[in-house]
Amino acid sequence: MKKSNLYYRMKNLQYRLRMLIPEWIYAQVTYYKRKGRFLNLKNPKTFADKLWWMKYHYFNPLMTPCSDKWEVRKYVEKCGLKDILIDCYGHYDSVDAINLDEIPVEEFFLKVNNTSGGNLICHKSTFDREAIRPLFSSLLKDNFYWHGREYNYKHIKPYILAEKVLRPSDGSGLIDWKFFCFEGEPKLLFVDTEVCNEDGSHAEFSHWFNYDIDFNPLDVTINRKHEPTFEIKKPENYDLMVEYARILSKPFPHCRVDFYNVDGKIYFGEITFFHCAGYIIVEPEEFNLKMGSWVPMDKSYPKKYGWKEVREAYKKYCE
């Protein structure tokens, strides 16, 4: 836990020091550092180019609550999909506020709503508040916007969430079904297996499978190449997952909608608007351009929204 806390503290310091760098310089320098090439933001054609272009030109106020792992539950419910939400036992603004009395199970899952990582499986009988304090206190202070300039994270109010732990009955690892949707239509599926370590933290290495929407394997690389090391069976309720992704992605030009499918039961995971924060290499180049062609260049939201505008827009949507 101490190592994790030090990691997040150093990362937070690093990202805070980048706050003075202009957005277009930040985009080019950090993308080149990670991927070895520059972005074309004047005439974007590839998938990564268009994602970064949208970061600076497309501002939909609904993106903030849908990026917030607490507020997005209201959006999913508004879409008529309440039954796919993972049971949430409470949300807390500090480690001290975590109320074990309102958590009805021995084993539960802690995560934050405002950033990526920091997941942890806990047990009421052995819960050590002081042991988790450094990590989660640091995560609550983390503004994920400064990691990759994803505007949708900038105004999220941070909370710690306590949720049900998902475990397949056969003892297998959890599988993350990631649907890439464009203008409300799922077009690609990435399947991420063995996504969690035993303690609930995100696994550093997992197996990655790429499919078209008809569940045909794709020999393409999107940061990671398709890895057919073992067979992934198509779930019997696969078409239902596709329909749920279609419903949840409808208001947006592009997003990724993630689900878990445990013992035939579909659970909502999250909505992501910029896969890997836009730090993406797609190969072959033909497929890179194809994915880019699916992202529309829409300037319907040219105004940057603050927290007040985001909240008002979301309340209006829920009316």
Side-chain angles (χ1 to χ4, degrees), residues 290-302:
K290 184 177 183 179
M291 288 188 69
S293 72
W294 292 336
V295 181
M297 305 287 279
D298 189 342
K299 296 186 180 181
S300 5
Y301 295 93

Side-chain angles (χ1 to χ4, degrees), residues 201-225:
S201 60
H202 187 73
E204 183 177 359
F205 300 103
S206 56
H207 296 283
W208 193 260
F209 299 81
N210 305 327
Y211 298 91
D212 66 18
I213 204 60
D214 295 319
F215 212 74
N216 299 308
L218 291 174
D219 187 20
V220 298
T221 297
I222 304 181
N223 281 354
R224 293 171 59 182
K225 190 174 177 60

Side-chain angles (χ1 to χ4, degrees), residues 56 101 120 127 237:
Y56 300 148
D101 292 335
L120 194 66
F127 185 69
N237 56 0

Side-chain angles (χ1 to χ4, degrees), residues 144-156:
F144 201 59
Y145 166 76
W146 298 111
H147 292 236
R149 302 295 173 95
E150 298 173 76
Y151 187 80
N152 42 300
Y153 286 103
K154 192 172 185 179
H155 300 288
I156 292 177

Side-chain angles (χ1 to χ4, degrees), residues 33-229:
K33 182 179 178 181
R34 296 191 187 191
K35 300 302 175 183
R37 65 177 68 173
F38 289 109
L39 296 162
N40 182 354
L41 299 181
K42 291 184 178 181
N43 185 28
K45 298 292 185 183
T46 68
F47 186 49
D49 290 345
K50 286 199 172 182
L51 287 189
W52 278 91
W53 184 92
M54 292 188 71
K55 283 186 186 184
Y56 300 148
H57 293 85
Y58 181 81
F59 300 98
N60 184 334
L62 187 57
M63 290 169 63
T64 289
C66 285
S67 302
D68 181 331
K69 294 178 177 65
W70 170 246
E71 292 290 338
V72 72
R73 297 175 62 87
K74 300 174 186 176
Y75 171 72
V76 174
E77 185 173 352
K78 176 70 176 179
C79 289
L81 300 176
K82 181 180 179 179
D83 61 318
I84 69 172
L85 291 171
I86 299 173
D87 292 345
C88 184
Y89 308 125
H91 69 292
Y92 315 98
D93 59 10
S94 69
V95 173
D96 288 325
I98 298 174
N99 184 359
L100 294 180
D101 292 335
E102 68 182 17
I103 299 176
V105 293
E106 165 64 16
E107 182 183 58
F108 58 96
F109 189 71
L110 287 184
K111 67 180 185 183
V112 289
N113 68 319
N114 61 315
T115 186
S116 177
N119 307 327
L120 194 66
I121 292 177
C122 299
H123 297 82
K124 289 176 68 172
S125 58
T126 59
F127 185 69
D128 188 339
R129 199 178 300 268
E130 294 309 312
I132 72 167
R133 185 185 303 279
L135 173 60
F136 280 94
S137 295
S138 177
L139 290 172
L140 288 174
K141 298 175 183 177
D142 182 23
N143 190 327
F144 201 59
Y145 166 76
W146 298 111
H147 292 236
R149 302 295 173 95
E150 298 173 76
Y151 187 80
N152 42 300
Y153 286 103
K154 192 172 185 179
H155 300 288
I156 292 177
K157 184 177 180 179
Y159 289 110
I160 300 170
L161 308 185
E163 291 185 343
K164 174 184 178 180
V165 177
L166 301 181
R167 293 189 183 278
S169 60
D170 61 3
S172 60
L174 205 58
I175 296 178
D176 197 351
W177 303 80
K178 302 173 181 288
F179 290 87
F180 282 65
C181 305
F182 301 84
E183 298 187 279
E185 190 60 36
K187 291 182 179 290
L188 293 175
L189 168 67
F190 298 159
V191 181
D192 204 1
T193 67
E194 301 172 7
V195 296
C196 291
N197 296 316
E198 291 185 5
D199 64 355
S201 60
H202 187 73
E204 183 177 359
F205 300 103
S206 56
H207 296 283
W208 193 260
F209 299 81
N210 305 327
Y211 298 91
D212 66 18
I213 204 60
D214 295 319
F215 212 74
N216 299 308
L218 291 174
D219 187 20
V220 298
T221 297
I222 304 181
N223 281 354
R224 293 171 59 182
K225 190 174 177 60
H226 177 72
E227 301 174 351
T229 51

